[in-house]
Amino acid sequence: MASDNLSVILKGKGEVCLENRKLPEPLPNEVLIAIHAVGICGSDLHMYKDGKIGELLVTDSFVLGHEASGTVVKAGSKVKHLKSGDRICIEPAVPCRRCEFCLGGRYNLCLINQYDHTPIGDGSMCRYFCYDADFCHKLPDNVTLDEGALIEPLSVAVHACRRASVTAGKSVLICGAGPIGLVNFLTCKAMGVTNICITDISENRLDVAKKLGATYKLNVKDLDSKMAIEKIKSIMGGLPDITIECSGAESSVKLALLVTKSGGVVTCVGLGAPEIKIPIMEASVREVDIKGIFRYAHCYPTAIELVSSGVIDVKPLITHHFNLENMLKAFETSASGAAIKVLIHCSE
Ligand code: NAD
């Protein structure tokens, strides 16, 4: 094992660099992981491009990354279910395990976990990383480490689809065909939904959705809400039962509330501006449930199973690969919008 621990450090707006950090030593309940691949996510890009995420400013340097896979190098003395050589993916943000949310099973809402493993604590875009063993999920032999890095965004989709009660026979509109919209599309299909329409304002993104099997797609760039609703109604043969909003754009959230069938559900996955104007009266009088989404809870095992069984193929989403030394190019490529998922490979 090499002694260096090259890490991608964000210092502030547009300031990302490589630094050699100390090789960490696992605590008794942790494993030391040789990181294989880390995906660049929209939140990494926000922190890189804007120097902030939501209201949270980047004030101190920290290691980026939270969509990671790797191989266990050393297990702490109390770790029973993992050993050196095991291939794993990491579920970021370890909760306190004691608060009402953790004890109630919704550990993604634990207040402690919101600031662990970025935003804005040290993440996993580095050669070696120590992490709680019980938030490391073993990958089956037929799931590659590259696919393992996609389990994080796929888990977001599993959570969003579960909260929306996505099931066969429902019709689903997905707003936004970025990586998160696309994993939601794949998950809806996997859950038996056949009537799915996906929107975007970028023809390139909609082309990718089409390649993944989307039969119904709509470019909403030049459409006002009224026009978009009419088009969606005509494409889908009626209004959607469920809308999964994955862009965070104000006009898209507004459309989601207006277009969803009375009594339906809108899940807000996209995280855009902290405050936006929405037609709340529409949602109230037509009993459209608005559900927030924050990451996932108990979704990794399902996401891994969906990939290992072959029901979901995440490989077409991985469009670019860079090694750690070329991380700047990786961030530029991801920020250009030309990529779907960019992976940074961290091993030497
Ligand atoms: P992305 O920026 O790559 O994709 C967003 C897509 O939305 C783009 O293709 C863009 O062209 C499209 N878009 C923009 N305006 C639109 C509009 N008016 N109508 C339809 N489409 C529009 O981002 P991503 O990685 O796919 O993530 C999507 C969103 O999900 C982001 O806001 C991200 O922060 C959020 N996110 C939330 C969670 C959570 O736990 N809630 C987890 C991960 C990501």
Side-chain angles (χ1 to χ4, degrees), residues 41-43 46 156 175-181 199-202 205 220 245-249 251-252 268-272 293-295 341:
C41 155
S43 62
H46 278 306
V156 173
C175 301
I180 292 293
T199 70
D200 206 289
I201 52 168
S202 147
R205 289 276 163 107
V220 289
E245 205 301 307
C246 300
S247 78
S251 60
S252 185
C268 296
V269 185
L271 301 170
I293 299 295
F294 186 63
R295 293 178 166 178
K341 187 53 73 181

Side-chain angles (χ1 to χ4, degrees), residues 1-6 35 127-128 324-325 345-348:
M1 190 171 76
S3 60
D4 79 323
N5 188 20
L6 212 55
I35 298 291
R127 290 222 204 281
Y128 295 100
L324 201 52
E325 288 79 359
H345 292 270
C346 299
S347 50
E348 281 174 277

